Amino acid sequence: MAENAILYGVADGVARITLNRPERLNSFNDAMHAQLRETLDRVKTDTSVRVVLLTGAGRGFCAGQDLGDRAVAPGDAPVDLGASIERNYLPLILTLRALPLPVVCAVNGVAAGAGANIALACDIVVATRSASFIQAFCKIGLIPDSGGTYWLPRLAGAARAMGLAMLGDKVTAEQAEAWGLIWKCVDDDKFAASVDALGAQLAQGPTKGLAAIKQALHAAERNTLDQQLKLERDLQRMLGYSEDYREGVAAFAGKRAPRFTGR
Ligand code: T3D
């Protein structure tokens, strides 16, 4: 592949993945999707990785699909967008959700279209105060994809979901935080340090426990109370056997900070 559309590096347990097509606001073409898939496959097999950090290069996070690859005009032959979703966006979202690791999205600028919803698919979303979120789909006659119709009503409520999806208004990072779409927004000059600190905190955390939290909270979206209580029992049983649980209790008793190893 000619361009390095994805930058990747692992340091101190943090795998940093950077969408790298800044001149197109990191919008996705097929090559970038393929590189991201390969990168996530590497993450899955690298046992040193304890947290994934997804961000964008330049002034934007991601503007969704590269519309330069969709150069259609009235009267042209129809295109099958379902094939694109099936091949690229659908597996990407499912992969991010299924990774047994915390996935942090550091939204460094505008997140539009699928870019906004890829961010919302991550476990913890931190945005720089000047960032924004735009459900741009309605402006080109489409629906929010990449889980947009799933996240928006769950995170922001039905009324805001409908307004956001039908109007495509820009939501500031502050508003996104106030509406519960994201974890928090951070002043631009403190953003990099804050993201690094968050990555370090999660990378030093009890990795199995964090993965179980992710699994349980996602399962709660479809489970009955009875099913959820049983899942909590099963996960707690599994975690009770972990080295990190023993370390956590010993650290508490010893009045010291725990040294979790992820085992
Ligand atoms: O097709 C399928 O596979 C189905 C799946 C679809 C998923 C989707 O994501 S559909 C939605 C696609 N995305 C959009 O509709 C967003 C389009 N972009 C924008 O609305 C605006 O660019 C932004 C609101 C995101 C940012 O606006 P602004 O004013 O800050 O920047 P800009 O000037 O519009 O963009 C800067 C450059 O990036 C510009 O290039 P230029 O003129 O400097 O050469 C612009 O054309 C380019 N760019 C921005 N977004 C895209 C893009 N180029 C290609 N595709 C884009 N999505």
Side-chain angles (χ1 to χ4, degrees):
M1 280 162 221
E3 62 180 339
N4 221 358
I6 297 292
L7 305 179
Y8 180 64
V10 182
D12 300 324
V14 180
R16 180 181 284 262
I17 301 175
T18 306
L19 309 177
N20 185 40
R21 301 183 69 233
E23 69 292 348
R24 289 281 163 265
L25 292 182
N26 305 316
S27 56
F28 273 90
N29 58 13
D30 273 352
M32 187 157 104
H33 271 296
Q35 288 181 35
L36 183 55
R37 260 194 304 277
E38 284 167 21
T39 304
L40 288 169
D41 284 344
R42 282 172 73 179
V43 166
K44 285 182 206 161
T45 55
D46 184 342
T47 52
S48 75
V49 174
R50 294 172 68 183
V51 54
V52 175
L53 183 62
L54 179 65
T55 193
R59 74 173 175 90
F61 169 64
C62 175
Q65 171 63 38
D66 185 332
L67 296 177
D69 286 1
R70 299 284 178 272
V72 289
D76 286 356
V79 289
D80 179 3
L81 299 185
S84 157
I85 304 282
E86 182 73 29
R87 181 172 67 248
N88 292 322
Y89 294 97
L90 188 156
L92 169 60
I93 299 301
L94 292 180
T95 298
L96 293 173
R97 296 285 276 190
L99 268 183
L101 296 168
V103 180
V104 173
C105 189
V107 181
N108 54 298
V110 64
N117 295 332
I118 289 165
L120 299 185
C122 296
D123 301 316
I124 296 187
V125 187
V126 193
T128 192
R129 198 168 296 279
S130 61
S132 55
F133 297 81
I134 309 174
Q135 297 293 328
F137 307 88
C138 59
K139 303 200 171 155
I140 54 171
L142 300 182
I143 62 161
D145 60 24
S146 303
T149 59
Y150 187 86
W151 326 124
L152 292 175
R154 282 173 169 77
L155 296 172
R160 283 170 177 154
M162 201 63 90
L164 290 171
M166 285 196 167
L167 302 174
D169 286 359
K170 178 194 282 195
V171 175
T172 64
E174 274 181 35
Q175 211 169 12
E177 179 187 321
W179 286 2
L181 283 166
I182 65 169
W183 168 237
K184 63 166 70 163
C185 75
V186 177
D187 290 340
D188 290 28
D189 59 343
K190 299 193 180 72
F191 184 64
S194 171
V195 167
D196 286 349
L198 180 60
Q201 179 182 341
L202 290 167
Q204 289 160 23
T207 311
K208 282 185 179 169
L210 299 181
I213 289 170
K214 176 171 177 170
Q215 182 185 341
L217 288 177
H218 289 172
E221 286 157 8
R222 55 173 192 277
N223 273 352
T224 62
L225 175 61
D226 184 58
Q227 290 168 322
Q228 193 67 14
L229 288 169
K230 286 173 179 155
L231 177 64
E232 289 175 0
R233 175 200 60 201
D234 295 344
L235 292 172
Q236 212 71 302
R237 176 175 286 136
M238 181 269 291
L239 293 171
Y241 297 130
S242 73
E243 199 56 42
D244 280 345
Y245 169 67
R246 288 191 280 269
E247 166 62 10
V249 175
F252 174 77
K255 298 190 186 304
R256 61 172 175 80
R259 289 180 292 271
F260 293 123
T261 56
R263 293 198 305 272

